[in-house]
Amino acid sequence: TATAVPAPPPPEPRPAPKRPPAAPAPQARVVFGATGGRTEEREIEMARRAMYGIVSFRPVAPPRAGEMTPAQRAAAVGRPRTVPERPERATVSEQDYFDRVKRHLGSKELAPEFKTNSARNRKDTPWQEFLKCLQLFGAGLLGKDELLTLLRNLLIQGHAPRTGVNAGGGHVNKHIAAAANELLKELDVIFTGRGPYAQQEKALQEKSKYGTASSQTIDFSNCKHISPSYSTLPKDYPLDSMVFTGQTDGDMSCLSTNTVCLSNGSPDNYNYREHRRNIHEAALMTVEDERFEFDMAVEMNAATVRFMEPVAEEVGALYKQEERDGQPAGRLQYQLRTGTFLTSHLSAISRVYGEHGNEVLQHLSRNPLVAVPIILRRLKQKDSEWREVRRNLIPKWKDITRANYPGSLDVTCYFYKREIEKTFALDVLFEELKKARVFLRKPRHLSPALSSVAPTVLAVNYDESACLVQPHLRLSVPGGEVHKYAYELLSAHIGKIARNNTDRERASRIWAEFMVPFFGMPHRWCLPELRDVPARADRSSCVVRYAAGQSVLTLFGVGEVLQLREGGGGGYVGTRYTVRLPNGHIGILRPSAIVHALPGKVQYARQGGYMDVVGGPAEVTDDQKVLSKEKHLFFGTTKIYVFLRMYCLLVRILLEARKAAEKTPSSALTERVNFKGLIRALESVMKGKINSLEYETKCRAVMKDKTYLLAALPKLVEKCSEFFLKVTKEDLVLPLYDFSQLKHMDPVLIRTQCLSVTGDAHCRIQYHPKECVIFFSYLPGSDELLLTSLPDDIASSSYEIIEGKRTASERSGTDRNQQPLSKRLKLKV
């Protein structure tokens, strides 16, 4: 029978594995002044998550003795290179020295007798001992001699035993001792390369002859020039500065240490402002520089804001975490990592704070936790302000660019204007007059600018009535209203540069008594100035005393002087004239009310401040050469000639400007760029109200093809006014012009009379009002005035005058009032 098999007993339950006891939970630490606790792991996690700075929770160290404040450090050091400042790096020679010291101390001869693997023994190596000694020396706890004593024992013996079977170190191995002594000597050299001693040596080197001298400032005149670009150094030049670390004797034999390259100029020495030739181009460059600097400032400020925003967010998160954890203020220490902000960012921050920028950067380096939010808020404020200012400046920059772009393309205006302004000199104008016969023989090659203002040189005038048969200059002088503008410009500038009232009064009398009758100007142009003459002019010697019976032009018309009253009386002070006016009435006038004298039957000329009667020629024969009465002729000095040359040029340029303004379409003209606007602009630039750039821009709107003529007007007005004042101080133009008013029109007699006034009347000045031309000729007192026309074949050729020989008695006996002795002509056909 089958028997039942009993079931196996169930397996016994396996005991559960024993778990290690749970580590106690970290206890929150409550520091002094905190309202809540925080674990050390939490603080380590906060420091680990910081990306832009180094977080620590150690107590704040008290300031060191003698430590400078941020303001003092900013004044002493200036702008920091980086925030925080990078530690001073070792030089190549220093780094090489420390590497050799590390290899020396790690040699087996200096190792300890028994080596263990404990952490303490791994840290207490000879190299670590060497670093500890240097740290104590840097902290000021050890002196130099004490440091060298400790290091001598360490480098020679290390941790090796001195005695015993396993004795080692320098006491046993001589090569170890020699290497140690060599390292100690090099350490002494390294010490002298840093610190106050090194700064003193550097200062002495910079004060030496070649301390800070570059190759461009060294004198190579006594040196050997190997090639046009290379030269040897002077013999006294210190060649020690040419030796570098790691050079061997073989390297020194191959290198040329006493040869340098000579530079003949580089882009670094180029200065655009010194080489510019166009003020419009300079204005465009100035606008471009302003836009570039403004854009750079705005964009660098924006870049600094972008770099600082994540730093400010990190700082703000740390602040909030400290408040939530109830930590006391000041326990969290935060220092920026090296390289967080670049040099450009530091420059942007310094630019915003101006003169306090360096101090702000020092605060940012010391306490970024407080400084970063404040600086970021200021940068954002400046960013919005500067962008608004740039939006307002863009239209101004566009206007300047639009106004100066056409002028920047006119490269010849500057050169042509300079050429014209050079002709305003006294020696240049007098040379043209004196060498007229030379220019006939060898014609000048004039530039387009000078050809428009230069006079025509002629050998003879074919108009026999002009009596001009000697070399002379011909210049056209337009009449009309342009003389009024020239008079107003010159009068305004003369009133500005005249030193006293006497010069101004003389200038007004020359305008009234010479310029008005000579060029046929309306006397009403001078009336405002004559009426404004103060009462002291009645007693002034600037106004001549007119004679009784003389015809004069007064403010009320043509009159005749009946009586001269001097000495006052009758309710007035000073000089008065009794004048018969055009309406038949008799009036008593001030001297300033008389404009100028008029030619009459009786001939007058001033002598000693009074008008005296002068005699004319007894009679005019048929063969005698005389001028027509509508012409004006007198002989003046060099200053009078130069002034009239400049005045005629001024009138010509003003007439060309007026014609150009009339030809310009009316739609293109505005009130500021038409002819009257040009005159106002010229007055403004003479007074300094506008600059030459604005004036030249308006000139280009009036006369585009010949802007250089109008651009030279300010200099022309200035020079013309200066010579006009010289003419007034010379005080000869009015006495000389009186003989032109006599109207006997005998050139020889007029010259004799002018030479009786002054022996310097060498310039013949002849004006023809009908033809609107003026002639200038140079005739020294020793030359004869020729009046007879030469044959055509001779007149068209050049000739020169050779002085005849005279005896000493003839030269001494010659009277100034007599016609000079004749000269013989040497003709060149």
Side-chain angles (χ1 to χ4, degrees):
T1 61
T3 59
V5 179
E12 296 181 1
R14 183 177 297 178
K18 295 182 179 181
R19 296 181 179 179
Q27 297 293 328
R29 196 175 41 159
V30 180
V31 298
F32 178 77
T35 59
R38 187 166 57 191
T39 63
E40 185 177 357
E41 287 76 7
R42 176 59 179 166
E43 292 181 350
I44 294 175
E45 182 65 19
M46 291 174 61
R48 186 182 64 82
R49 290 184 177 180
M51 296 178 58
Y52 302 99
I54 301 174
V55 178
S56 62
F57 298 94
R58 57 180 180 270
V60 180
R64 297 180 179 179
E67 185 178 5
M68 294 186 293
T69 63
Q72 293 173 348
R73 184 168 178 80
V77 180
R79 181 185 302 177
R81 297 180 180 179
T82 56
V83 173
E85 296 182 5
R86 299 180 185 273
E88 191 171 2
R89 301 177 64 90
T91 61
V92 177
S93 58
E94 293 172 349
Q95 187 66 38
D96 178 68
Y97 172 77
F98 288 120
D99 291 341
R100 289 188 285 111
V101 170
K102 189 174 183 179
R103 289 195 301 269
H104 174 78
L105 294 176
S107 60
K108 61 181 181 179
E109 289 84 356
L110 300 179
E113 182 178 3
F114 301 102
K115 294 184 179 181
T116 60
N117 293 327
S118 62
R120 179 178 180 182
N121 291 335
R122 287 196 301 268
K123 293 182 179 180
D124 294 339
T125 61
W127 172 247
Q128 294 295 332
E129 297 291 339
F130 178 80
L131 295 181
K132 290 179 182 179
C133 293
L134 292 182
Q135 187 176 7
L136 293 175
F137 174 74
L141 300 178
L142 293 178
K144 181 180 177 181
D145 295 337
E146 296 173 341
L147 175 66
L148 293 177
T149 301
L150 292 176
L151 293 183
R152 180 177 290 106
N153 295 331
L154 183 62
L155 292 174
I156 293 176
Q157 194 62 31
H159 287 183
R162 291 176 178 269
T163 60
V165 179
N166 297 325
H171 294 282
V172 178
N173 302 288
K174 300 300 181 181
H175 67 280
I176 295 294
N181 293 327
E182 187 67 25
L183 290 175
L184 288 173
K185 292 179 181 179
E186 292 186 19
L187 182 61
D188 192 20
V189 175
I190 290 177
F191 282 155
T192 57
R194 287 186 178 271
Y197 179 78
Q199 297 176 1
Q200 181 181 1
E201 290 294 324
K202 184 178 180 181
L204 293 176
Q205 182 181 2
E206 291 179 352
K207 293 180 180 179
S208 62
K209 180 178 180 181
Y210 300 103
T212 57
S214 61
S215 60
Q216 297 179 354
T217 58
I218 297 177
D219 184 14
F220 293 95
S221 59
N222 297 327
C223 302
K224 180 181 179 181
H225 291 269
I226 302 174
S227 69
S229 300
Y230 288 88
S231 174
T232 59
L233 289 170
K235 295 181 180 180
D236 57 344
Y237 191 87
L239 298 179
D240 298 339
S241 59
M242 299 295 180
V243 180
F244 301 97
T245 305
Q247 287 184 355
T248 62
D249 295 339
D251 297 335
M252 294 297 295
S253 63
C254 297
L255 296 176
S256 181
T257 56
N258 64 337
T259 305
V260 293
C261 178
L262 301 180
S263 61
N264 296 325
S266 63
D268 298 336
N269 300 331
Y270 177 77
N271 188 354
Y272 169 75
R273 295 186 179 275
E274 295 180 359
H275 294 82
R276 67 178 179 86
R277 290 295 182 267
N278 193 311
I279 57 176
H280 298 278
E281 187 178 359
L284 293 181
M285 292 298 178
T286 303
V287 171
E288 184 67 22
D289 292 342
E290 290 179 0
R291 297 188 68 169
F292 175 77
E293 294 294 337
F294 214 99
D295 291 343
M296 286 295 295
V298 172
E299 296 304 325
M300 289 308 303
N301 187 73
T304 307
V305 170
R306 290 195 298 269
F307 270 77
M308 190 171 284
E309 281 179 345
V311 181
E313 292 177 1
E314 184 175 278
V315 169
L318 291 174
Y319 253 127
K320 293 180 181 179
Q321 186 64 39
E322 287 289 288
E323 292 178 357
R324 286 195 298 266
D325 295 343
Q327 299 299 311
R331 182 169 180 267
L332 174 67
Q333 300 296 316
Y334 184 86
Q335 290 295 327
L336 293 173
R337 296 183 186 273
T338 303
T340 302
F341 295 110
L342 305 178
T343 306
S344 57
H345 303 149
L346 304 183
S347 301
I349 296 173
S350 180
R351 184 186 298 111
V352 169
Y353 285 93
E355 60 181 2
H356 300 287
N358 297 338
E359 182 179 353
V360 172
L361 292 177
Q362 294 293 339
H363 284 290
L364 177 62
S365 177
R366 290 194 177 188
N367 194 0
L369 204 64
V370 178
V372 166
I374 299 174
I375 295 175
L376 179 61
R377 185 167 57 252
R378 180 63 172 171
L379 291 177
K380 289 183 177 180
Q381 179 185 359
K382 280 298 179 181
D383 182 71
S384 60
E385 292 179 4
W386 288 353
R387 291 183 185 275
E388 181 65 25
V389 173
R390 184 172 62 176
R391 282 193 294 269
N392 297 333
L393 286 177
I394 287 177
K396 177 183 176 181
W397 289 334
K398 288 183 177 180
D399 294 340
I400 295 176
T401 304
R402 190 182 302 108
N404 292 278
Y405 177 73
S408 64
L409 303 178
D410 189 2
V411 296
T412 61
C413 179
Y414 174 82
F415 298 101
Y416 286 171
K417 184 185 74 170
R418 291 289 301 272
E419 289 182 6
I420 294 176
E421 290 177 350
K422 289 180 181 179
T423 61
F424 300 158
L426 171 63
D427 53 348
V428 175
L429 294 177
F430 187 66
E431 194 77 7
E432 288 183 356
L433 180 66
K434 192 175 182 180
K435 294 186 177 181
R437 56 175 59 91
V438 177
F439 296 148
L440 286 172
R441 188 183 310 116
K442 297 179 181 179
R444 296 178 296 172
H445 298 283
L446 301 176
S447 64
L450 297 181
S451 61
S452 59
V453 299
T456 305
V457 183
L458 300 176
V460 64
N461 195 320
Y462 291 98
D463 183 8
E464 295 184 357
S465 62
C467 299
L468 280 170
V469 296
Q470 291 170 303
H472 58 277
L473 306 179
R474 181 182 184 274
L475 197 67
S476 61
V477 185
E481 198 175 0
V482 289
H483 286 274
K484 178 182 178 182
Y485 296 111
Y487 163 72
E488 292 175 352
L489 291 171
L490 293 177
S491 297
H493 192 65
I494 290 171
K496 177 182 177 182
I497 64 176
R499 295 184 177 180
N500 47 51
N501 291 327
T502 303
D503 293 342
R504 298 185 183 93
E505 293 172 7
R506 287 179 178 177
S508 63
R509 295 312 305 177
I510 290 177
W511 275 110
E513 299 186 46
F514 169 62
M515 298 296 289
V516 168
F518 188 77
F519 289 103
M521 304 179 189
H523 69 279
R524 63 177 181 273
W525 294 348
C526 301
L527 293 185
E529 186 173 356
L530 293 177
R531 289 170 178 169
D532 293 340
V533 174
R536 63 175 177 271
D538 299 339
R539 301 183 300 270
S540 175
S541 60
C542 300
V543 184
V544 69
R545 270 57 173 173
Y546 294 97
Q550 189 174 4
S551 298
V552 293
L553 178 64
T554 67
L555 300 180
F556 310 98
V558 179
E560 181 183 355
V561 177
L562 300 179
Q563 183 183 2
L564 170 64
R565 300 182 178 183
E566 293 184 292
Y572 61 87
V573 179
T575 304
R576 293 294 186 273
Y577 290 97
T578 303
V579 182
R580 180 182 290 111
L581 299 177
N583 54 9
H585 296 286
I586 305 298
I588 299 178
L589 305 180
R590 295 174 178 268
S592 57
I594 299 179
V595 182
H596 61 81
L598 295 175
K601 297 180 180 180
V602 182
Q603 301 176 355
Y604 294 90
R606 69 193 69 205
Q607 294 181 3
Y610 289 85
M611 284 290 190
D612 291 339
V613 179
V614 296
E619 58 181 5
V620 179
T621 60
D622 295 338
D623 57 347
Q624 185 178 358
K625 291 289 184 180
V626 294
L627 296 173
S628 57
K629 293 186 178 182
E630 67 272 4
K631 295 180 175 62
H632 300 281
L633 170 66
F634 74 101
F635 293 82
T637 61
T638 305
K639 296 178 181 179
I640 299 175
Y641 155 73
V642 172
F643 162 69
L644 290 177
R645 274 289 306 272
M646 292 186 179
Y647 178 80
C648 296
L649 180 58
L650 174 62
V651 174
R652 288 178 60 187
I653 295 177
L654 291 178
L655 180 62
E656 289 192 29
R658 184 173 185 177
K659 291 180 179 179
E662 293 174 355
K663 293 179 181 178
T664 307
S666 58
S667 58
L669 286 177
T670 61
E671 185 180 358
R672 291 184 299 174
V673 297
N674 57 13
F675 181 70
K676 293 185 178 179
L678 175 65
I679 297 299
R680 288 194 293 270
L682 182 57
E683 294 175 350
S684 300
V685 75
M686 296 298 299
K687 295 178 181 179
K689 295 182 179 179
I690 63 175
N691 54 22
S692 58
L693 178 62
E694 299 178 12
Y695 170 71
E696 191 170 326
T697 302
K698 296 179 180 180
C699 293
R700 185 165 281 101
V702 175
M703 187 184 295
K704 185 177 181 180
D705 298 335
K706 296 184 178 181
T707 310
Y708 54 87
L709 290 178
L710 303 183
L713 280 180
K715 190 71 173 181
L716 178 59
V717 173
E718 178 182 351
K719 287 293 184 179
C720 191
S721 302
E722 291 178 1
F723 274 96
F724 188 83
L725 284 180
K726 292 180 180 180
V727 170
T728 58
K729 294 179 180 180
E730 191 181 39
D731 200 17
L732 292 175
V733 62
L734 294 180
L736 293 174
Y737 181 66
D738 285 341
F739 296 109
S740 178
Q741 296 277 68
L742 301 181
K743 295 304 177 182
H744 55 72
M745 307 315 294
D746 184 1
V748 177
L749 181 57
I750 293 177
R751 185 192 183 196
T752 303
Q753 292 171 335
C754 291
L755 287 175
S756 64
V757 176
T758 174
D760 296 332
H762 299 156
C763 301
R764 177 176 179 174
I765 303 172
Q766 186 169 327
Y767 177 59
H768 297 181
K770 290 185 178 180
E771 294 83 0
C772 294
V773 292
I774 190 170
F775 302 96
F776 301 99
S777 179
Y778 179 70
L779 289 175
S782 58
D783 291 356
E784 181 184 0
L785 177 61
L786 301 179
L787 302 179
T788 305
S789 300
L790 298 175
D792 295 340
D793 56 344
I794 298 179
S796 60
S797 63
S798 61
Y799 59 91
E800 62 181 357
I801 298 179
I802 301 178
E803 292 188 6
K805 297 182 179 179
R806 293 183 295 174
T807 61
S809 59
E810 291 175 337
R811 289 193 299 268
S812 61
T814 303
D815 189 1
R816 245 187 0 178
N817 300 330
Q818 297 178 0
Q819 177 71 9
L821 296 178
S822 61
K823 310 297 176 186
R824 60 187 179 89
L825 295 179
K826 180 181 179 182
L827 303 180
K828 294 184 179 180
V829 182

